[in-house]
Amino acid sequence: MRSIRPSFTARRGRNARRRTSPVLGALALASALALTATACDSGDTSADSQASASATAGDDGKITIPDDIKDRLKEHGIDLDKWKNGAWKNWDRDDWLREAQDYVNPIIKGLWDPDRMREAEDPDRAVDDNDLSGDQGVTDPTPAPVDAEAVPTTYHANAPEAGKVFFDSPEGTMVCSATVVEDPAHPGKSNLVWTAGHCVHAGKKGGWYRNIAFVPSYNDEGLSAEQLETATKEEAAPYGVWWGDWVKTSDQWIAQGGQTGGDGAPYDFAVIHVTPEAGGSGKSLEETVGSALPVDFNAPAVPKVSGITATGYPAAAPFDGQKLYQCQDKPGRLSFSESDPTMYRIGCTMTGGSSGGGWVATGSDGKPALVSNTSIGPASAGWLAGPRLGEVAQGVYDSVSDKFAGQ
């Protein structure tokens, strides 16, 4: 089975099979889907991280970092100027911030230019099919592959909540898919993005990824990779670049998420609170893109779900990561452990890079809602699996919403 992790920069070539490194696995669904779940159950099941750099824009439009944020960075031995000039590339294990309260993500204006976004590739985790042989719990027969279909352009007109999450890891520049979701504390004005846990944190053997940013409706016009080589930033990111100033994933993913197998997959989800790179227009992310999906933490059981639609930017061959695709199928069940929640599984040929992308179904109220996200899949790229969103996922979601409720 492959993990559907964010994608790793295309320096290695798009046709190369994803390695099973922890970083690559958590980023893309390329050839091996990146598993991004955590396998624990109980207690406060989420870990949050406040970006130490909630940047604001001055009258001149330049980004300024509040003094209290600068002081917090210094507490971690981080010099802001040195960080922006490349010190963030130091991935020394002793300096790789891991705990919830350690997350820092200073805005580096212009870092995510069209070239860097285009070259980001999927870092997936691969697992062999025989890893399922010892599963306990409910696992339905492997679904037949469902061909991914290209979303018609403009993407914003057909899937306005979809976009890409970009970030840096020790392996290089990575990318995942993500979804704009509603914020109960700010109706109609959400700044929340839903993605996979492995797209923000390396799991049990690493820490928080860096330079995490969200680009809604990436490549909205569906330009080819060749056309994107000369595209403007507005063509690549028509609704701007939004930096993650707060991130939360499950404690289970941080404690148990791994590079191979199904470690942490049932808890592979994360919520990012974002802020515009250059001050923006004063509008929220939801107002900017015009839409946000509700999240259903009590979706119907698999036998009662008539169909799920998964959306993402697959990057591994035969895809190139630049265009948006969808798969629709009736879900089955996939279990790695009797003690962990059973996952949804659908037939789908999307590959690495689609990791973190939203899964939409008819929710418990009869309306479309996000019920899961792409987490893992097989090396053969014939199916995808995503975590069921229950109490743990709601804890992650509510904590981020509550954090910004008064702002």
Side-chain angles (χ1 to χ4, degrees), residues 112-240:
W112 294 110
D113 59 27
D115 287 342
R116 209 161 188 269
M117 287 190 283
R118 186 185 71 256
E119 292 175 355
E121 205 177 303
D122 60 314
D124 58 6
R125 283 186 313 175
V127 281
D128 295 332
D129 290 335
N130 59 17
D131 287 344
L132 294 176
S133 60
D135 281 355
Q136 298 180 19
V138 181
T139 294
D140 293 323
T142 302
V146 171
D147 289 337
E149 296 187 1
V151 174
T153 56
T154 60
Y155 299 148
H156 182 262
N158 295 286
E161 304 89 359
K164 278 191 174 188
V165 167
F166 296 93
F167 57 97
D168 284 298
S169 77
E171 294 285 344
T173 303
M174 308 290 180
V175 66
C176 277
S177 299
T179 306
V180 181
V181 294
E182 293 181 353
D183 181 355
H186 296 283
K189 298 183 178 181
S190 175
N191 284 307
L192 302 185
V193 174
W194 191 282
T195 190
H198 68 256
C199 298
V200 299
H201 194 286
K204 60 185 175 183
K205 293 186 178 180
W208 297 103
Y209 292 124
R210 298 170 183 172
N211 303 323
I212 297 173
F214 175 67
V215 175
S217 296
Y218 171 78
N219 187 23
D220 196 37
E221 298 293 338
L223 301 179
S224 67
E226 183 178 3
Q227 291 173 319
L228 282 170
E229 291 181 4
T230 57
T232 64
K233 190 168 185 177
E234 289 69 28
E235 289 175 313
Y239 296 92

Side-chain angles (χ1 to χ4, degrees), residues 37-42 45 250-253 255-256 264 266-267 339-341 392:
T38 349
C40 280
D41 207 5
S42 76
T45 54
S250 64
D251 285 340
Q252 290 93 329
W253 172 253
Q256 299 183 20
Y267 298 93
S339 63
D340 291 331
V392 175

Side-chain angles (χ1 to χ4, degrees), residues 190-345:
S190 175
N191 284 307
L192 302 185
V193 174
W194 191 282
T195 190
H198 68 256
C199 298
V200 299
H201 194 286
K204 60 185 175 183
K205 293 186 178 180
W208 297 103
Y209 292 124
R210 298 170 183 172
N211 303 323
I212 297 173
F214 175 67
V215 175
S217 296
Y218 171 78
N219 187 23
D220 196 37
E221 298 293 338
L223 301 179
S224 67
E226 183 178 3
Q227 291 173 319
L228 282 170
E229 291 181 4
T230 57
T232 64
K233 190 168 185 177
E234 289 69 28
E235 289 175 313
Y239 296 92
V241 176
W242 298 70
W243 285 68
D245 59 1
W246 184 274
V247 176
K248 188 159 189 173
T249 186
S250 64
D251 285 340
Q252 290 93 329
W253 172 253
I254 290 177
Q256 299 183 20
Q259 302 306 313
T260 60
D263 293 350
Y267 298 93
D268 182 21
F269 38 74
V271 176
I272 306 171
H273 185 278
V274 298
T275 189
E277 177 176 277
S281 63
K283 293 183 178 181
S284 66
L285 174 62
E286 181 177 359
E287 291 173 300
T288 299
V289 302
S291 184
L293 282 171
V295 183
D296 192 341
F297 299 101
N298 189 30
V302 165
K304 297 182 179 180
V305 180
S306 59
I308 284 180
T309 299
T311 303
Y313 286 85
F319 307 98
D320 63 8
Q322 308 310 315
K323 296 183 180 181
L324 190 63
Y325 286 82
Q326 291 181 328
C327 288
Q328 185 172 18
D329 193 20
K330 181 175 176 56
R333 294 163 292 188
L334 175 65
S335 177
F336 285 97
S337 168
E338 193 173 49
S339 63
D340 291 331
T342 299
M343 302 177 72
Y344 285 124
R345 181 164 65 164

